[in-house]
């Protein structure tokens, strides 16, 4: 594996998200090429600011569909059915993930319903099943970026994996687009010349395909007219436009735009994503695809700060797991690189193995420019950037410049482990969140104060209560000498609320005439250990059509007198917590209102996998497993009544699963199908339930 592999993965994934963010505001069809030109002219920066950029299908798919690599047996390589299970497992039906535009209109919605009704992949996305128009829409190439990132400089493997993934929903030219884009990304690891990258993409698709023909046509036009991309766009509109390719968003016109942008961008990452956006049609998809390609090819040094800074190393998603919906880009890049090493059958470097572990936070600031989504509360007093000047371990750290501070002046430096609706400008793709850090876990970091002026500074670690917005200060320290110091604390009991900030409060500690000035370096920020927390429903809100901090799949959910009310005709589920929770004790209260299914859950990995315990029929209690189908592991008679409150305790430890009701052990069974997952409540048949506060303690 090449020495800069991880850096190029990081640049590629950042590049994809820059392209998506740049193109998204002008994606709606009302934004024609002509209107974009008339309104924004020559685009050289983001055209819209966001508090935080909400989820987008163009990043949901590349992240969530890749989880097939973890969930399914890869002994014989990736199969379409593996990715199909990821579709069914990680999408909340009808909400988020992709455009739910209706059967026969949205290619992805059509494929999902096919899968749900027993039509297996790849038939689920085939021309035979859905017709050529649906099968050849743009989705074939917009969800495949990560397959190219995990197969560096192996265009055939990248193309094969991307095609297997895309065949769940697409066929024909849709599969050619998947192969082409993944191969281009893969080639970008060793090639910077856009034409040679495009030629690599052409090698993995049929020469007689429309995809090859539009690509060759744009190359030919570019060679004759290399100066003006707008002339080429006029050529595309006249010869390869939407009027010639039916459907909501056909792949062929947009393929032409991607090739145009790559060529006229002339090897410059920034100009490439700008051109892709200015050309119109499916702007966020096209800019995202070429952003990945040229991010890999150009590397971090090729990305302008005005594009990179607002990303701040973070994106949010809108899958079924609120925990996985909060994504730290450097950590995810390491995860992708580890997969890449394993696929290449090469030893994973020690520094990667040490700095990434599923279910834990470890921010080492080693990747150039990385900030891990750290923020400041007052950018007059403090500003942050990645630094190579000092590091507790390795080469990188987070440098916080503090300036003009004096006694009583404060600034928070923090990471966000949770988001609320007020953190977003809009509700694109309806993201929902569960915290990435919990009460009972240990937070640690190393700090070094380089003071240029003033007598001393005061630092207090803190967490913020998401409900009250109160900052909970912990034991602080005065720093008046240089040298690395460790800050370590346990996240306190939040009395049923969750935290949405973790960090330190930096306070000036000098008289006004001295003005504290200098740099505070932060390194090796970690959150790990066993969580022990409560979720009080009365302290939660309904946001993004879900009750914080849960993700809901199916059913109607509301807060009713301090409880979560669930109504469903068949299935309703609420999940929360660290996605990688293993051994755990879960306590919750349930009041059955009508129907026969009233359950508490653990080790839930999505819609297809999880353990459940509680009432399943008249006078019956059971422990069940959902493993691509619900199955009773053990059941017993239990006389329960409507309107009565029951305290459930569900313990999952190793292969042992134990249900107690009102402090009495009712069932115990052993099963080892699922080793980790989320916690929550569920119903698997028609009815209504009231679910109370949830207590979760990792064992």
């Amino acid at each position: 594996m090449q020495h800069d592999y991880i850096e190029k993965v990081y640049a590629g994934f950042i590049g994809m998200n820059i392209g998506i963010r740049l193109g998204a505001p002008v994606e709606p069809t009302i934004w024609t090429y002509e209107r974009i030109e008339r309104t924004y002219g020559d685009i050289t920066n983001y055209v819209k600011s966001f508090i935080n950029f909400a989820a987008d299908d163009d990043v949901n798919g590349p992240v969530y569909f890749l989880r097939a690599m973890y969930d399914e047996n890869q002994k014989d390589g990736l199969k379409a059915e593996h990715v199909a299970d990821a579709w069914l497992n990680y999408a909340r039906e009808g909400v988020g993930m992709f455009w739910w535009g209706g059967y026969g209109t949205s290619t992805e919605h059509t494929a999902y319903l096919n899968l749900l009704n027993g039509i297996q992949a790849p038939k689920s996305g085939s021309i035979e099943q859905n017709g050529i128009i649906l099968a050849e829409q743009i989705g074939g190439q917009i969800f495949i970026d990560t397959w190219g990132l995990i197969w560096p400089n192996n265009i055939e493997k990248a193309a094969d994996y991307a095609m297997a993934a895309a065949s769940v929903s697409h066929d024909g030219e849709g599969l050619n687009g998947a192969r082409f884009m993944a191969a281009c990304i893969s080639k970008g690891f060793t090639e910077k010349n856009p034409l040679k990258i495009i030629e690599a993409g052409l090698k993995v698709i049929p020469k007689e395909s429309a995809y090859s023909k539009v690509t060759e046509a744009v190359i030919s036009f570019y060679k004759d007219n290399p100066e003006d991309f707008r002339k080429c766009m006029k050529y595309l509109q006249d010869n390869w436009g939407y009027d010639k390719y039916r459907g909501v968003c056909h792949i062929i016109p947009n393929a032409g735009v991607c090739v145009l942008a790559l060529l006229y961008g002339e090897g410059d990452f920034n100009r490439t994503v700008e051109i892709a956006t200015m050309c119109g049609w499916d702007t966020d998809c096209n800019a995202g695809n070429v952003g990945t390609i040229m991010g890999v090819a150009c590397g971090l040094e090729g990305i302008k700060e005005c594009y990179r800074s607002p990303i701040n190393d973070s994106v949010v998603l809108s899958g079924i797991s609120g925990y996985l919906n909060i994504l730290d880009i450097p950590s995810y890049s390491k995860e992708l690189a580890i997969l890449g090493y394993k696929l290449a059958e090469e030893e994973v470097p020690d520094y990667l193995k040490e700095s990434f572990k599923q279910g834990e936070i470890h921010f080492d600031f080693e990747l150039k420019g990385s900030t891990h989504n750290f923020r400041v509360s007052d950018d007059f007093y403090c500003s942050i950037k990645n630094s190579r000047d000092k590091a507790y371990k390795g080469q990188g750290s987070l440098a916080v410049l503090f300036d003009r501070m004096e006694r009583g002046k404060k600034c928070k430096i923090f990471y966000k482990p949770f988001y609320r609706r007020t953190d977003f400008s809009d509700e694109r793709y309806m993201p929902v969140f569960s915290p990435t850090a919990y009460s009972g876990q240990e937070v640690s970091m190393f700090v070094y104060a380089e003071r240029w002026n003033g007598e001393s500074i005061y630092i207090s670690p803190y967490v913020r209560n998401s409900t009250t917005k109160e900052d909970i200060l912990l034991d602080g320290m005065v720093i008046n000498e240089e040298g690395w110091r460790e800050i370590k604390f346990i996240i306190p009991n939040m009395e049923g609320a969750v935290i949405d900030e973790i960090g330190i409060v930096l306070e000036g500690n000098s008289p006004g005439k001295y003005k504290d000035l200098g740099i505070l370096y932060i390194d090796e920020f970690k959150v790990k250990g066993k969580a022990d927390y409560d979720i009080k429903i009365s302290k939660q809100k309904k946001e993004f059509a879900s009750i914080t901090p849960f993700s809901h799949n199916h059913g109607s959910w509301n807060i009713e007198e301090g409880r979560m009310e669930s109504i469903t005709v068949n299935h309703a589920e609420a999940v929360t917590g660290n996605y990688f929770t293993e051994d755990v004790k879960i306590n919750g209260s349930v009041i059955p209102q009508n129907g026969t299914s009233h359950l508490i859950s653990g080790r839930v990995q999505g819609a297809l996998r999880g353990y459940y315990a509680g009432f399943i029929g008249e006078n019956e209690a059971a422990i069940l497993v959902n493993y691509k189908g619900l199955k009773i592991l053990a059941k017993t008679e239990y006389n329960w009544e409507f309107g009565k409150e029951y305290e459930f305790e569900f313990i999952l430890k190793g292969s042992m699963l134990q249900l107690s009701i009102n402090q009495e052990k009712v069932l115990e069974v052993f099963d080892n199908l699922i080793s980790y997952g989320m916690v929550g409540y569920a119903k698997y048949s028609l009815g209504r339930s009231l679910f109370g506060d949830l207590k979760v303690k990792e064992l």
Side-chain angles (χ1 to χ4, degrees):
M1 197 72 73
Q2 60 196 85
H3 73 281
D4 59 352
Y5 175 46
I6 177 61
E7 286 82 7
K8 282 186 169 289
V9 170
Y10 180 44
F13 197 75
I14 288 176
M16 180 184 81
N17 284 286
I18 287 171
I20 294 167
R21 185 181 182 126
L22 180 64
V26 292
E27 177 193 16
T29 53
I30 194 172
W31 284 103
T32 61
Y33 163 76
E34 292 78 13
R35 182 165 284 165
I36 293 170
E37 181 183 16
R38 190 168 67 248
T39 305
Y40 292 113
D42 190 44
I43 292 174
T44 58
N45 203 337
Y46 291 119
V47 300
K48 187 178 284 293
S49 298
F50 298 89
I51 304 171
N52 290 288
F53 185 63
D56 193 284
D57 59 335
D58 298 70
V59 66
N60 286 331
V63 173
Y64 272 110
F65 300 158
L66 191 83
R67 291 209 62 81
M69 297 293 291
Y70 300 100
D71 298 342
E72 307 296 331
N73 186 343
Q74 299 295 310
K75 181 180 177 182
D76 298 319
L78 184 74
K79 307 295 182 186
E81 56 264 32
H82 298 157
V83 183
D85 282 347
W87 278 63
L88 292 175
N89 192 51
Y90 293 107
R92 296 176 292 148
E93 185 176 358
V95 182
M97 191 59 78
F98 43 72
W99 177 53
W100 301 87
Y103 194 84
T105 301
S106 160
T107 302
E108 290 74 27
H109 194 172
T110 301
Y112 179 91
L113 289 176
N114 286 342
L115 293 170
L116 201 63
N117 286 278
I119 300 171
Q120 296 182 350
K123 188 176 181 181
S124 55
S126 67
I127 291 172
E128 172 195 0
Q129 181 67 35
N130 304 325
I132 193 168
I133 295 174
L134 274 184
E136 294 190 340
Q137 297 301 298
I138 196 172
Q141 68 189 28
I142 70 173
F143 299 142
I144 57 79
D145 303 71
T146 43
W147 304 110
L149 294 175
I150 64 174
W151 284 109
N153 201 33
N154 192 333
I155 63 173
E156 289 291 345
K157 281 290 189 182
D160 289 347
Y161 272 57
M163 183 174 75
S167 67
V168 174
S169 51
H170 289 75
D171 199 357
E173 299 297 345
L175 300 188
N176 290 332
R179 294 183 63 84
F180 178 88
M181 287 297 175
C184 287
I185 293 166
S186 177
K187 187 64 176 178
F189 281 93
T190 54
E191 180 58 66
K192 292 185 177 180
N193 185 303
L195 180 57
K196 291 183 179 180
I197 290 172
I198 292 166
E199 289 171 347
L202 286 171
K203 288 179 181 178
V204 299
I205 62 175
K207 288 184 178 180
E208 66 276 11
S209 66
Y211 207 101
S212 283
K213 290 177 181 177
V214 70
T215 300
E216 295 285 7
V218 173
I219 292 172
S220 178
F221 190 94
Y222 168 74
K223 288 179 177 179
D224 292 338
N225 304 271
E227 302 299 325
D228 189 352
F229 82 87
R230 296 193 184 277
K231 286 183 180 178
C232 190
M233 187 59 203
K234 180 67 166 59
Y235 167 77
L236 276 178
Q237 287 177 322
D238 291 344
N239 296 277
W240 302 88
Y242 273 18
D243 59 320
K244 296 172 179 61
Y245 295 92
R246 293 178 296 162
V248 176
C249 192
H250 201 280
I251 200 168
I252 294 301
N254 289 288
V257 167
C258 290
V259 175
L260 179 162
L262 288 168
L263 292 171
Y264 284 88
E266 297 183 330
D268 183 287
F269 167 86
N270 310 288
R271 196 57 184 159
T272 301
V273 294
E274 290 162 0
I275 289 172
T277 300
M278 287 187 284
C279 284
W281 288 336
D282 202 335
T283 48
D284 60 340
C285 297
N286 297 335
N289 275 145
V290 300
T292 311
I293 295 167
M294 295 312 297
V296 170
C298 298
L300 296 167
E301 61 274 12
I303 302 174
K304 288 197 303 189
E305 186 62 23
C306 68
Y307 286 129
R308 185 174 176 184
S309 181
I311 298 290
N312 196 28
D313 273 348
S314 181
V315 291
V316 301
L317 312 173
S318 59
I320 205 167
S321 169
Y323 179 90
L324 294 178
N325 283 344
I326 300 173
L327 187 146
D328 174 68
I329 293 178
S331 298
Y332 187 64
S333 299
K334 292 174 184 177
E335 181 179 352
L336 291 174
I338 290 170
L339 269 176
Y341 276 102
K342 290 179 178 178
L343 287 170
E345 297 182 348
E346 293 186 22
E347 183 68 25
V348 179
D350 288 340
Y351 78 91
L352 273 182
K353 289 189 286 190
E354 292 171 3
S355 64
F356 175 79
K357 184 178 179 182
Q358 298 274 27
E360 293 186 1
I361 291 172
H362 182 183
F363 299 159
D364 58 10
F365 307 100
E366 285 300 290
L367 290 170
K368 292 178 182 178
S370 60
T371 58
H372 292 281
N373 198 27
F374 264 79
R375 305 160 183 233
V376 297
S377 61
D378 191 328
D379 56 12
F380 177 81
Y381 290 119
C382 292
S383 61
I384 60 174
K385 68 174 185 177
N386 184 275
S387 173
R388 287 342 215 199
D389 295 333
K390 278 186 174 61
Y392 177 78
K393 185 178 180 181
Q395 297 180 317
S397 64
L398 186 73
V400 183
L401 174 67
F402 57 93
D403 189 8
R404 304 185 188 186
M405 299 191 77
E406 59 188 70
R407 194 167 296 155
K409 303 298 184 183
K410 301 178 182 180
C411 181
K412 299 189 292 183
I413 303 105
F414 62 94
Y415 159 71
K416 278 192 73 62
F418 185 64
Y419 291 92
R420 300 293 298 269
R421 173 62 186 86
T422 53
D423 291 317
F424 296 92
S425 303
D426 57 15
E427 298 188 1
R428 300 181 75 248
Y429 289 96
M430 300 294 284
V432 288
F433 307 104
S434 300
T436 56
Y438 293 88
S439 297
Q441 291 191 291
E442 180 185 78
V443 178
S444 63
M445 71 190 89
F446 287 87
V447 298
Y448 185 110
E450 182 180 291
R451 293 182 300 104
W452 303 339
N453 193 55
E455 297 178 355
S456 63
I457 57 173
Y458 191 77
I459 293 176
S460 299
Y462 86 101
V463 298
R464 188 173 83 156
N465 184 313
S466 176
T467 302
T468 65
K469 307 305 179 186
E470 173 192 5
D471 293 332
I472 301 170
L473 300 176
L474 304 165
D475 291 339
M477 63 177 72
V478 174
I479 297 182
N480 51 24
E481 295 180 356
E482 294 190 358
W484 286 102
R485 300 181 181 213
E486 184 176 22
I487 295 175
K488 186 182 290 187
F489 62 92
I490 302 297
I491 299 176
N493 187 315
M494 301 302 293
E495 298 181 350
V498 298
I499 58 171
D500 63 359
E501 292 180 10
I502 306 174
I504 56 176
V505 178
L506 191 157
E507 183 175 354
N509 201 43
S510 299
K513 64 180 180 179
Y514 291 113
K515 300 291 184 187
D516 290 308
L517 172 64
I519 294 181
L520 179 74
Y521 297 93
I522 300 173
D523 200 5
E524 293 295 309
F525 178 88
K526 298 180 181 180
V527 182
K528 62 181 182 178
K530 298 185 185 303
D532 185 356
Y533 61 95
D534 300 274
I535 298 172
K536 289 193 180 300
I537 306 302
S538 62
K539 295 188 176 183
Q540 308 308 318
K541 297 290 184 182
K542 188 166 185 176
E543 299 177 352
F544 294 116
S546 292
I547 310 301
T548 60
F550 294 89
S551 304
H552 297 305
N553 189 33
H554 299 136
S556 172
W557 296 82
N558 291 286
I559 297 177
E560 180 76 25
E561 296 182 353
R563 300 179 185 276
M564 278 200 304
E565 177 192 57
S566 175
I567 305 173
T568 185
V569 294
N570 45 33
H571 173 225
E573 188 141 11
V575 289
T576 189
N578 188 320
Y579 185 82
F580 301 98
T581 300
E582 296 178 354
D583 294 347
V584 64
K585 180 173 72 172
I586 312 154
N587 293 87
S589 68
V590 178
I591 303 177
Q593 296 296 301
N594 62 62
T596 57
S597 181
H598 313 274
L599 304 165
I600 196 167
S601 61
R603 294 185 186 167
V604 179
Q605 293 182 359
L608 296 185
R609 287 182 287 276
Y611 289 115
Y612 302 86
F615 303 143
I616 64 162
E618 292 183 9
N619 300 322
E620 284 186 328
I623 296 176
L624 309 94
V625 61
N626 177 17
Y627 199 81
K628 304 178 185 179
L630 197 63
K631 173 185 173 183
I632 296 173
L633 294 175
K635 69 177 180 178
T636 186
E637 288 187 7
Y638 192 94
N639 294 322
W640 56 271
E641 303 171 17
F642 291 122
K644 184 176 179 180
E645 182 174 9
Y646 296 90
E647 296 293 331
F648 286 179
E649 181 177 89
F650 193 20
I651 298 176
L652 303 93
K653 189 170 185 179
S655 61
M656 188 273 290
L657 315 173
Q658 184 184 104
L659 170 66
S660 296
I661 302 175
N662 294 343
Q663 291 79 51
E664 176 189 356
K665 188 169 87 171
V666 172
L667 283 169
E668 183 174 291
V669 69
F670 292 84
D671 188 83
N672 58 11
L673 275 175
I674 307 170
S675 59
Y676 63 85
M678 302 170 286
V679 301
Y681 292 114
K683 300 173 63 59
Y684 269 93
S685 63
L686 183 147
R688 176 171 171 259
S689 303
L690 294 176
F691 295 115
D693 300 340
L694 198 67
K695 180 174 176 57
V696 182
K697 181 179 176 63
E698 290 190 66
L699 303 174

